[in-house]
Amino acid sequence: MNSLLRYSTAYSEPWVAWLMLALLIVLLLADFYQRGLISGSLLSLFATKERQSLFSETVRTGVGSIFLFVYRIAVISLAVYTLLWSGGSFSFLSFLFVCLLVFALTLFKYASVWLTAFVFFDKRTLQVIYLHYDNLSTVFCIFLYPLLLLALFAPFFTHTLIVVTFSVLAFFALCIWLWKAFKLFFNNFLACLYIFLYLCTLELIPLLALIEAVRLWVL
């Protein structure tokens, strides 16, 4: 008797649905342990004043921060894997390897931003930078989740539509971050140069490196 070969996709692999459910639970746990995490991050999206950032109602805890970190790493990794996947097996092991790459890239970015801010800014400004970037990353991953659901399980969501929607969300987040950076730090033309230098060296180049690494080592 002839057997039918099962085509491996995000829709046919059961681990994808369980992972999305687990990520939703992790996000809710992060909000539970850090009261006001989701609402506070959304409200701070267009805030630039230090008082709005430093004295938000969100109570940050170690457990909540760990849940949030895991959620963001997994969501971004699954988005990158879905975006670059072009056929073959939609493998859980490949997804875990992408998670490892995103984790390493995230640590590098945070270390670089912290070192740069430590050299050029005072402690209070460093805290403002971190809170704005952290809140924006949280909002980005919250909006990325429903797009991932559509990309993974909606039949009408073609690869072209995935690229377009993910790119629009990333572009929106980039514009918000640039707007915040100019509001906080722009005081002369040289500051403008520093902001765009940061954008290239700590955002665009690491992202391109991640995409190339996933293509070479995972796909």
Side-chain angles (χ1 to χ4, degrees):
M1 183 173 64
N2 294 329
S3 60
L4 296 176
L5 294 177
R6 184 169 65 93
Y7 186 61
S8 177
T9 64
Y11 186 79
S12 65
E13 295 292 341
W15 66 267
V16 181
W18 285 109
L19 176 65
M20 294 301 291
L21 177 60
L23 289 177
L24 179 60
I25 295 174
V26 168
L27 177 61
L28 294 177
L29 287 173
D31 188 65
F32 174 79
Y33 283 103
Q34 293 187 175
R35 293 293 184 182
L37 168 68
I38 297 177
S39 59
S41 297
L42 292 171
L43 289 174
S44 70
L45 193 60
F46 296 101
T48 56
K49 295 180 181 179
E50 294 184 11
R51 182 168 297 275
Q52 289 174 293
S53 300
L54 294 175
F55 303 103
S56 64
E57 296 181 359
T58 303
V59 179
R60 296 179 179 270
T61 64
V63 176
S65 297
I66 292 174
F67 278 122
L68 181 60
F69 184 76
V70 170
Y71 171 80
R72 292 199 309 221
I73 292 294
V75 166
I76 293 174
S77 300
L78 188 57
V80 171
Y81 188 30
T82 304
L83 185 65
L84 298 179
W85 184 73
S86 57
S89 176
F90 203 83
S91 168
F92 181 67
L93 290 178
S94 297
F95 162 73
L96 290 181
F97 193 75
V98 177
C99 284
L100 182 62
L101 293 175
V102 174
F103 175 74
L105 176 64
T106 302
L107 290 185
F108 167 76
K109 285 176 59 178
Y110 273 102
S112 301
V113 170
W114 181 87
L115 180 61
T116 303
F118 179 79
V119 173
F120 294 102
F121 303 110
D122 55 47
K123 183 178 180 180
R124 183 180 179 84
T125 305
L126 174 60
Q127 188 178 5
V128 172
I129 295 171
Y130 172 78
L131 287 175
H132 278 297
Y133 192 87
D134 191 64
N135 286 333
L136 182 58
S137 299
T138 300
V139 173
F140 174 77
C141 290
I142 289 173
F143 282 111
L144 186 58
Y145 184 88
L147 290 181
L148 264 177
L149 282 176
L150 292 173
L152 293 169
F153 302 113
F156 63 87
F157 231 71
T158 63
H159 185 264
T160 301
L161 193 54
I162 292 174
V163 173
V164 171
T165 53
F166 284 13
S167 299
V168 168
L169 181 59
F171 180 74
F172 175 75
L174 178 62
C175 289
I176 293 296
W177 177 239
L178 282 176
W179 175 73
K180 285 176 175 284
F182 276 100
K183 282 285 187 178
L184 288 169
F185 308 116
F186 181 75
N187 48 26
N188 53 46
F189 178 78
L190 193 58
C192 179
L193 179 63
Y194 288 151
I195 291 172
F196 280 103
L197 184 62
Y198 155 81
L199 176 65
C200 293
T201 56
L202 294 182
E203 295 295 338
L204 295 182
I205 292 178
L207 178 60
L208 293 175
L210 172 65
I211 292 173
E212 190 62 26
V214 171
R215 284 176 174 170
L216 288 175
W217 300 335
V218 179
L219 302 179

